[in-house]
Amino acid sequence: MASVFDKPSVWRRIAPWFHGFDGPLAFAVFLLACAGMLIMYSAGFNNGTRFEDHGRNMLLAAFIMFVVAQIPPQRLMTLAVPVYVTGVALLVAVALFGITKKGGKRWINVGIKDFQPSEILKIAMPLMLAWWFQKREGQLRPLDFGVAALLLGVPVVLIQRQPDLGTALLILIVGLSVIFFAGMSWKLVIPPVVLGVIGLVLIVSFEPSLCADGVRWPVLKEYQQQRICTLLDPTRDPLGKGFHIIQGMIAIGSGGITGMGFMKGTQTHLEFIPEHTTDFVFAAYSEEFGLLGNLFLLAAFIFLILRGLAIALEAPTLFSRLLAGSVTMIFFTYAFVNMGMVSGIVPVVGVPLPFISYGGTAMVTLGLAVGILMAISNSKRLVQS
């Protein structure tokens, strides 16, 4: 009789909160988090409290992931419009009376500290577009894709004008992935891709004349033009704009097959790699862990992305499928652009390497993204049961 009144243990009370956690997804994130802490200890041990702060940011991201994982996708759907409208309104406020730092007008003071509203759109955009296509399910018309393009275009233009090309491109790619997954015809996809390839070939072919002194490109700002020209030929300004790319490639090459060893990277510890705990942390990682370490990192990212796409394929509703697919594209875009810019195959933009680079705001965004995937995976299990 006494057993009836026995209180359940603490574990029995909190265990249901973990039942919905997707094991493979959590394992992939755990591997990347371990790699991030390892390289941050090496690259950031002489940069004040970078290592401790990175660990704190990861704990904060884990807490956010845990909380968001408990929210049903139906509840997330109700947040789409308010979060999107709030994000766009803050972007307009930044354009009108934002704070300028490092040459960009990207911040706004919210009383406690300066805040970068563009970070909201990294999650708000896929939420909004997934909500829009869920509402139009079964009755999609060409006009609906036009409305989706407008919803995407407004924040992308506002962010690009700050200027913040890296964040604008990330949100553009994530938004386009939602539109594509929603059923956009290949006939509309292939022409811009072909034009883009032709444009890249022409830029590479005519690089000497296009990047000559005094030549200005339309549309792009001067610093954006210089980034592309520096990518095509970093040696044209080896001690200036090409310094980041050259030092990054030297660090990657010096790592060889097995790397120089933990805390033994010369390019990193002699401060030749700029931003070696943030945007260029991949160069520091490559120097110390070499090709084998890079293969491990690539395998972990590929596993994370494939698991995210699997969750999207198995999601019970159109909203969940589109949201999971686009959120997964956040990880792909972050990883591809960061590794590409450090390796010298894409222009240098301010995009961190997920769970590896130092940065509190980006880590919060990643925690939200993983939490959303967890919530969608959990909703699939509830439907099946």
Side-chain angles (χ1 to χ4, degrees), residues 349-373:
V349 292
V351 175
L353 189 60
F355 305 107
I356 311 295
S357 295
Y358 175 85
T361 306
M363 197 69 75
V364 168
T365 302
L366 294 170
L368 277 169
V370 177
I372 288 171
L373 288 176

Side-chain angles (χ1 to χ4, degrees), residues 90-247:
L90 288 173
L91 289 178
V92 173
V94 169
L96 294 176
F97 42 82
I99 299 171
T100 301
K101 296 180 182 180
K102 299 180 180 179
K105 193 177 181 181
R106 306 169 188 172
W107 290 265
I108 188 171
N109 190 290
V110 292
I112 302 175
K113 61 180 296 186
D114 296 340
F115 173 68
Q116 194 171 351
S118 59
E119 291 294 328
I120 296 177
L121 273 300
K122 292 179 180 179
I123 298 298
M125 179 53 65
L127 267 175
M128 183 64 191
L129 291 179
W131 172 87
W132 170 250
F133 285 114
Q134 175 67 58
K135 292 297 182 182
R136 308 302 300 168
E137 185 179 16
Q139 50 184 346
L140 276 176
R141 301 168 299 172
L143 179 61
D144 297 321
F145 288 99
V147 173
L150 180 63
L151 292 172
L152 174 60
V154 170
V156 167
V157 170
L158 288 172
I159 295 170
Q160 194 276 333
R161 288 176 61 86
Q162 291 180 351
D164 188 354
L165 183 59
T167 302
L169 285 176
L170 174 65
I171 293 173
L172 178 64
I173 292 171
V174 172
L176 288 176
S177 69
V178 179
I179 296 174
F180 175 73
F181 293 149
M184 186 170 64
S185 173
W186 279 100
K187 296 179 180 178
L188 299 176
V189 175
I190 293 176
V193 172
V194 172
L195 289 175
V197 171
I198 293 174
L200 289 175
V201 172
L202 291 175
I203 290 175
V204 173
S205 301
F206 294 97
E207 180 268 333
S209 57
L210 289 175
C211 295
D213 293 338
V215 176
R216 289 288 296 115
W217 298 4
V219 182
L220 294 182
K221 295 181 181 296
E222 183 179 359
Y223 82 94
Q224 295 169 341
Q225 175 185 333
Q226 292 301 322
R227 284 183 177 180
I228 296 175
C229 291
T230 301
L231 171 69
L232 296 174
D233 183 15
T235 60
R236 66 196 304 266
D237 189 10
L239 298 179
K241 296 179 176 63
F243 186 78
H244 290 67
I245 297 176
I246 292 173
Q247 296 303 319

